[in-house]
C-alpha cells in the first residue's frame, strides 16, 4: 500500500508539472500480447478509437502510424501503431448500421520504439532492455510529449542550450512539429537520399536554413546550380562559380591529384614525373630564398650552394628548369634535405608550365658510371618511354577546360582562387559558401578530380584543427557524381578519388561534417555510407537503393523501410544513431527554395 501511494504521489506530481503522459483522458486500451518484435493492444470499446479534442488538441487513437505511450511497471514505452483489426466473429457482424449503433472490440499491433524512466519521461533509456507486461495501459501520445523527445535526440545532458531548428511535422499529425538539434542531424554525418522528385533538394535547403538560423557555417558543393537562389541572401558569401569567377589553383593539388590528371604509366613515367615535380619545387625554394640566404648565390647559369668549408657547388638552371645531366648531386640534395618539409607539404609550389621540359631533363641515368657523385648522361630509352607523358603534360597545360579550372596561367594570389575564398569565408561572418560546378564540363573526369581536390584541401584543414572551435558542415549535392570514382586507363594503374571517404571516416572529431545528397545511394561506397549517422530517406523504389540504406543504417527496420515506395513528395523517414526511433515526417518548405522544379508541358 505504501509503495502504491508513493507511485500515485509521483504521478500526481508529474501531472501537476504537466509532464504526465499517462492521463486517463488519453487512455485507449490494454496490452494483451507481448512478443520480442511487437505487442498487441486490446481496445475495450471502438469508441476509444474515435477522434476527440482535449485541452485544445485533437487526438485520434485509431490511425495506423499514430504514436502511443504504454505505462509499464518500471518503465514507460513509446510505440507506433502498425495495424488495427477486428476479431473474426465481430468482423462478420460488421455493417453500416451495426457500426453506428454497436460497440466493437478491435485489436492493434504496436511496435515498441523506445523506453523511458517512468517518473522522468524525458530521460530515454539506452537500448530496449524490457517490454511492457500484459495488462499494461495504452494511451494516445500527446504532441507536446513527442516533440520533447525530438528536441532531445543526440543532445548530451551537459549541453543545456543546444541549437535546434524546425525540420517539418509528423505526416499523420501536421500539428506536431519536428524540431531537431543540429548535433543530432550532423554530429555523425548525414545522408539525404531519395529518387528524383522526392524532395531531396528542399530538404537540403531546409537543413542549410537550420544552420543559418543557428549562426553556423556551411559549404555547399552545388553540382547543377539549383541552389543559386541562395546567392543574393544576406547570409551568403559571394558564390565561387568554378570555370567562371573562381578557380582552384594547381599548386593546391597534391602529387596524387597531379598523377590522376597526367596518368603516368608505372615503371618509367611515374618515377620521372615525381622527380620532375621535385626538381621544380627545389627550384622554387631557391628562387624564394636566395635573397635572404647566405648559403645560396644566384649566378647566370643557376644557383651556387655552399656545401662545406666555404666550398660552393652549382645547381645548373637552363630555361627555367633544373639541368641534372652530368651535374653534381650534392647541392641539389642539400637544398632538398634542408627544405624537405616545405617541398613535400600540401601547399608546395612550382611552375607547372615548365613541367614537360623538366620531364625531358629527368630522362638521364641515375649515376655517372665514372663518378658516383654525379648524375649520368642522357638516357634515350627513358626519353622514348616518356614521350606520351610529355605530350599529355603539354596537352593538359594547354587545354582551355583545365586551364580555366586550375589556373595554369594564373598566380595563386589572383582574385577568385578557391582556397583563398574558402579561408575568407571561414574567417568572416557569412554562413553559407556555395561552390558552383554548373559551368564545369564533364570531359576528362574534370568534375570528379576537382571535387576530390577540394575535399582534400578541407581534409588537411580539419587535421590542422581549423574547425575544432567552429564546426563546418560540407554539403555535397549529387554525391554519386564524386564518390566511388576512380581513374584508370590502359597504362595508368587505377587510383581512387577518396577524399570524401576519408572525411567521413576521420573528420567528425575534427569538426568537419558531411551531408551527402544523392538519388542513388547504391553508388555511394558502402564504407562511406556506413559512416553516416543520420539518414533522411525520401521515396526509394529501387530495391538496391533500399538495401544500401538498410545495410548502412542500423536503426532502419523493415517496418519503417516498407513506407519508402509510398512516401509523397517532401515526406521522409528520419533515422540514425542518435535517433532511438525512426520518424516519418513531412519536411517543411524552406524559405529560399532551390531551383529544382520540373518543367511543365504546355500547349503551343
Amino acid at each position: 500500500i505504501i509503495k502504491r501511494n508513493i507511485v500515485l504521489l509521483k504521478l500526481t506530481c508529474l501531472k501537476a508539472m504537466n509532464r504526465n503522459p499517462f492521463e486517463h483522458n488519453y487512455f485507449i486500451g490494454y496490452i494483451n500480447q507481448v512478443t520480442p518484435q511487437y505487442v498487441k493492444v486490446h481496445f475495450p470499446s471502438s469508441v476509444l478509437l474515435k477522434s476527440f479534442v482535449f485541452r485544445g488538441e485533437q487526438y485520434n487513437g485509431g490511425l495506423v502510424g499514430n504514436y502511443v505511450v504504454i505505462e509499464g511497471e518500471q518503465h514507460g514505452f513509446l510505440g507506433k501503431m502498425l495495424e488495427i483489426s477486428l476479431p473474426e466473429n465481430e468482423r462478420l457482424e460488421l455493417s453500416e448500421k451495426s457500426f453506428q449503433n454497436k460497440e466493437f472490440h478491435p485489436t492493434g499491433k504496436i511496435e515498441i520504439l523506445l523506453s523511458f524512466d517512468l517518473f522522468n519521461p524525458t530521460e530515454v533509456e539506452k537500448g530496449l532492455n524490457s517490454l511492457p507486461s500484459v495488462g499494461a495501459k495504452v494511451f494516445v501520445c500527446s504532441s507536446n510529449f513527442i516533440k520533447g523527445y525530438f528536441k532531445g535526440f543526440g543532445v548530451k545532458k551537459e549541453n543545456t542550450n543546444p541549437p535546434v531548428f524546425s525540420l517539418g511535422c509528423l505526416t499523420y499529425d501536421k500539428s506536431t512539429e519536428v524540431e531537431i538539434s543540429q548535433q543530432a542531424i550532423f554530429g555523425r554525418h548525414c545522408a539525404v537520399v531519395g529518387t528524383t522528385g522526392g524532395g531531396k533538394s528542399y530538404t537540403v535547403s531546409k537543413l542549410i536554413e537550420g544552420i543559418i538560423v543557428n549562426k553556423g557555417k556551411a559549404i555547399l558543393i552545388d553540382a547543377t546550380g539549383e541552389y543559386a537562389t541562395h546567392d543574393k541572401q544576406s547570409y551568403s558569401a559571394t558564390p565561387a562559380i568554378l570555370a567562371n569567377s573562381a578557380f582552384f589553383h594547381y599548386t593546391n593539388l597534391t602529387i596524387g591529384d597531379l598523377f590522376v590528371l597526367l596518368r603516368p604509366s608505372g615503371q618509367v613515367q611515374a618515377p620521372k614525373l615525381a622527380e620532375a615535380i621535385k626538381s621544380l619545387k627545389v627550384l622554387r625554394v631557391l628562387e624564394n630564398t636566395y635573397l635572404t640566404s647566405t648559403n645560396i648565390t644566384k649566378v647566370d647559369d643557376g644557383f651556387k650552394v655552399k656545401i662545406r668549408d666555404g666550398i660552393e657547388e652549382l645547381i645548373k638552371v637552363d630555361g627555367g628548369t633544373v639541368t641534372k645531366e652530368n651535374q653534381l648531386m650534392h647541392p641539389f640534395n642539400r637544398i632538398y634535405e634542408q627544405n624537405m618539409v616545405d617541398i613535400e607539404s600540401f601547399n608546395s609550389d612550382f611552375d607547372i608550365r615548365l613541367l614537360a621540359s623538366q620531364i625531358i631533363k629527368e630522362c638521364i641515368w641515375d649515376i655517372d658510371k665514372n663518378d658516383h657523385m654525379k648524375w649520368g648522361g642522357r638516357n634515350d630509352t627513358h626519353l622514348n618511354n616518356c614521350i606520351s607523358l610529355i605530350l599529355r603534360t603539354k596537352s593538359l597545360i594547354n587545354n582551355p577546360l583545365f586551364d580555366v579550372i586550375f589556373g595554369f596561367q594564373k598566380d595563386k594570389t589572383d582574385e577568385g582562387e578557391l582556397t583563398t575564398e574558402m579561408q575568407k569565408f571561414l574567417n568572416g561572418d557569412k554562413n553559407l559558401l556555395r561552390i558552383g560546378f554548373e559551368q564545369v564540363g564533364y570531359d576528362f573526369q574534370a568534375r570528379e578530380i576537382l571535387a576530390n581536390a577540394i575535399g582534400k584541401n578541407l581534409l588537411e584543414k580539419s587535421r590542422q584543427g581549423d574547425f575544432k572551435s567552429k564546426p563546418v558542415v560540407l554539403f555535397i549535392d549529387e554525391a554519386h557524381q564524386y564518390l566511388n570514382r576512380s581513374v584508370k586507363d590502359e597504362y595508368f594503374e587505377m587510383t581512387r578519388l577518396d577524399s570524401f571517404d576519408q572525411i567521413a571516416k576521420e573528420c567528425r572529431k575534427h569538426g568537419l561534417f558531411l551531408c551527402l545528397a544523392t538519388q542513388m545511394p547504391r553508388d555511394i561506397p558502402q564504407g562511406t555510407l556506413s559512416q553516416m549517422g543520420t539518414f533522411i530517406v525520401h521515396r526509394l523504389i529501387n530495391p538496391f537503393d533500399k538495401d544500401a540504406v538498410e545495410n548502412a543504417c542500423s536503426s532502419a527496420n523493415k517496418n519503417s523501410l516498407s513506407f519508402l515506395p509510398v512516401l509523397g513528395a517532401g515526406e521522409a523517414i528520419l533515422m540514425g544513431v542518435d535517433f532511438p526511433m525512426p520518424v516519418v515526417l513531412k519536411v517543411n518548405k524552406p524559405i529560399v527554395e532551390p531551383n529544382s522544379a520540373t518543367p511543365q508541358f504546355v500547349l503551343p
Side-chain angles (χ1 to χ4, degrees):
I1 295 174
I2 294 174
K3 184 177 179 181
R4 179 176 176 81
N5 288 338
I6 292 173
V7 170
L8 290 174
L9 178 61
K10 287 185 176 180
L11 290 176
T12 302
C13 293
L14 285 173
K15 184 175 180 180
M17 291 185 291
N18 200 25
R19 293 171 58 193
N20 181 17
F22 310 119
E23 289 264 9
H24 175 71
N25 296 283
Y26 301 150
F27 173 78
I28 56 174
Y30 300 95
I31 297 297
N32 66 356
Q33 182 180 350
V34 180
T35 73
Q37 291 78 30
Y38 59 85
V39 298
K40 283 191 173 182
V41 56
H42 166 71
F43 301 98
S45 171
S46 56
V47 175
L48 296 172
L49 300 182
K50 294 183 179 180
S51 62
F52 64 95
V53 177
F54 181 66
R55 293 180 179 174
E57 184 177 348
Q58 185 168 351
Y59 296 89
N60 194 325
L63 290 180
V64 171
N66 274 13
Y67 289 103
V68 297
V69 287
I70 303 170
E71 182 182 3
E73 293 182 357
Q74 301 294 329
H75 298 91
F77 302 89
L78 181 67
K80 187 176 184 180
M81 193 72 69
L82 296 180
E83 65 177 53
I84 298 175
S85 60
L86 284 175
E88 185 66 28
N89 60 335
E90 294 188 359
R91 196 180 308 163
L92 297 175
E93 301 176 14
L94 186 62
S95 67
E96 183 177 354
K97 184 176 180 181
S98 62
F99 186 75
Q100 296 293 333
N101 300 324
K102 185 178 179 180
E103 284 195 3
F104 293 93
H105 306 87
T107 60
K109 183 186 289 186
I110 297 172
E111 176 190 6
I112 302 297
L113 301 174
L114 58 83
S115 61
F116 53 85
D117 190 290
L118 191 63
F119 306 116
N120 184 12
T122 60
E123 186 173 326
V124 177
E125 300 286 335
K126 290 187 177 180
L128 195 60
N129 299 318
S130 62
L131 291 169
S133 59
V134 172
K137 292 182 178 180
V138 182
F139 303 82
V140 179
C141 185
S142 69
S143 62
N144 284 333
F145 184 75
I146 195 74
K147 279 160 59 175
Y149 276 137
F150 296 151
K151 287 183 179 180
F153 288 164
V155 178
K156 294 183 178 180
K157 290 183 179 180
E158 57 268 23
N159 191 352
T160 57
N161 188 28
V164 298
F165 63 95
S166 175
L167 184 58
C169 59
L170 295 179
T171 53
Y172 80 92
D173 182 5
K174 301 298 188 289
S175 65
T176 304
E177 188 178 15
V178 179
E179 289 185 292
I180 301 292
S181 75
Q182 198 167 302
Q183 194 70 33
I185 292 287
F186 303 114
R188 299 178 187 268
H189 306 304
C190 175
V192 182
V193 302
T195 58
T196 181
K200 267 191 333 298
S201 300
Y202 276 65
T203 299
V204 170
S205 285
K206 193 66 185 176
L207 294 175
I208 291 173
E209 183 180 294
I211 292 175
I212 292 164
V213 166
N214 291 296
K215 307 300 182 185
K217 283 189 177 290
I219 297 175
L220 168 66
I221 295 181
D222 185 3
T224 60
E226 63 180 308
Y227 298 96
T229 49
H230 290 271
D231 289 351
K232 295 184 179 180
Q233 304 300 317
S234 60
Y235 53 75
S236 288
T238 302
I241 303 174
L242 291 162
N244 185 327
S245 61
F247 66 98
F248 187 90
H249 200 254
Y250 69 88
T251 56
N252 293 311
L253 297 172
T254 64
I255 297 294
D257 294 326
L258 290 172
F259 271 53
V260 168
L261 284 170
L262 295 171
R263 306 181 190 186
S265 59
Q267 292 183 346
V268 176
Q269 294 184 359
K272 295 302 180 185
L273 176 59
E275 281 299 314
I277 293 172
K278 175 180 172 181
S279 297
L280 291 176
K281 288 181 178 179
V282 168
L283 182 57
R284 181 56 58 91
V285 169
L286 290 168
E287 292 171 343
N288 290 338
T289 59
Y290 80 92
L291 290 175
T292 57
S293 175
T294 58
N295 295 322
I296 303 172
T297 306
K298 187 173 184 180
V299 294
D300 291 341
D301 54 350
F303 294 88
K304 285 189 175 181
V305 180
K306 288 183 181 179
I307 303 301
R308 60 188 181 278
D309 301 328
I311 297 174
E312 294 182 327
E313 293 180 356
L314 178 68
I315 298 178
K316 189 174 181 180
V317 178
D318 180 26
T321 57
V322 177
T323 299
K324 294 183 176 179
E325 185 177 346
N326 301 126
Q327 298 295 310
L328 287 169
M329 301 178 188
H330 278 157
F332 182 90
N333 291 338
R334 186 177 183 85
I335 295 298
Y336 173 73
E337 291 167 1
Q338 290 177 345
N339 299 276
M340 185 182 297
V341 173
D342 291 333
I343 292 170
E344 300 295 343
S345 71
F346 184 74
N347 293 316
S348 57
D349 192 6
F350 69 98
D351 191 344
I352 199 170
R353 293 170 294 184
L354 302 172
L355 185 57
S357 299
Q358 187 63 52
I359 293 172
I360 294 173
K361 292 189 175 180
E362 297 295 337
C363 294
I364 56 174
W365 294 98
D366 291 340
I367 57 174
D368 189 324
K369 62 181 179 179
N370 297 318
D371 185 352
H372 289 184
M373 304 298 288
K374 292 182 177 181
W375 284 292
R378 176 169 166 169
N379 188 327
D380 289 328
T381 302
H382 285 181
L383 181 59
N384 291 332
N385 287 333
C386 288
I387 290 297
S388 60
L389 173 62
I390 294 166
L391 293 176
R392 281 199 302 275
T393 303
K394 290 181 177 180
S395 177
L396 171 72
I397 295 168
N398 294 315
N399 187 320
L401 169 65
F402 285 103
D403 183 29
V404 75
I405 293 173
F406 295 112
F408 294 143
Q409 310 301 326
K410 295 182 178 180
D411 291 330
K412 191 173 181 178
T413 56
D414 287 352
E415 185 177 357
E417 202 284 311
L418 183 58
T419 60
T420 303
E421 295 302 315
M422 286 195 293
Q423 194 59 50
K424 287 180 183 177
F425 165 73
L426 295 171
N427 294 336
D429 58 355
K430 299 296 183 180
N431 306 108
L432 174 64
L433 173 64
R434 185 178 75 88
I435 302 176
F437 272 56
E438 58 265 32
Q439 296 189 29
V440 177
Y442 290 84
D443 298 331
F444 309 110
Q445 294 185 283
R447 283 176 159 244
E448 295 93 320
I449 295 169
L450 178 57
N452 190 68
I454 294 171
K456 279 190 178 178
N457 185 270
L458 291 171
L459 176 64
E460 289 300 316
K461 286 181 179 294
S462 70
R463 287 170 173 169
Q464 294 166 10
D466 289 8
F467 308 130
K468 274 280 189 180
S469 59
K470 191 72 173 178
V472 173
V473 180
L474 174 61
F475 288 85
I476 306 175
D477 186 41
E478 305 294 348
H480 55 274
Q481 292 186 13
Y482 312 118
L483 279 74
N484 203 23
R485 295 301 183 206
S486 58
V487 177
K488 179 180 173 68
D489 61 22
E490 57 184 321
Y491 303 111
F492 182 62
E493 295 181 4
M494 185 173 68
T495 297
R496 287 193 61 215
L497 305 176
D498 61 353
S499 62
F500 296 116
D501 186 57
Q502 292 180 12
I503 290 173
K505 290 177 179 177
E506 66 175 270
C507 286
R508 175 186 59 82
K509 60 182 177 291
H510 297 313
L512 177 62
F513 304 106
L514 272 181
C515 182
L516 308 178
T518 178
Q519 54 188 283
M520 291 185 288
R522 65 184 182 275
D523 283 350
I524 304 298
Q526 193 62 39
T528 305
L529 207 60
S530 65
Q531 297 300 314
M532 300 295 108
T534 304
F535 282 83
I536 302 176
V537 189
H538 290 273
R539 182 175 61 245
L540 282 177
I541 299 174
N542 188 295
F544 297 106
D545 289 327
K546 292 169 64 179
D547 290 344
V549 174
E550 184 176 6
N551 293 335
C553 186
S554 59
S555 68
N557 54 64
K558 293 182 179 179
N559 291 325
S560 296
L561 292 176
S562 64
F563 286 95
L564 290 179
V566 297
L567 290 175
E571 295 179 352
I573 300 175
L574 173 63
M575 52 194 174
V577 175
D578 287 325
F579 296 85
M581 62 184 194
V583 181
V584 183
L585 75 158
K586 171 81 172 180
V587 179
N588 292 336
K589 277 190 175 183
I591 297 173
V592 179
E593 298 181 15
N595 185 19
S596 58
T598 304
Q600 300 296 308
F601 290 98
V602 295
L603 291 171

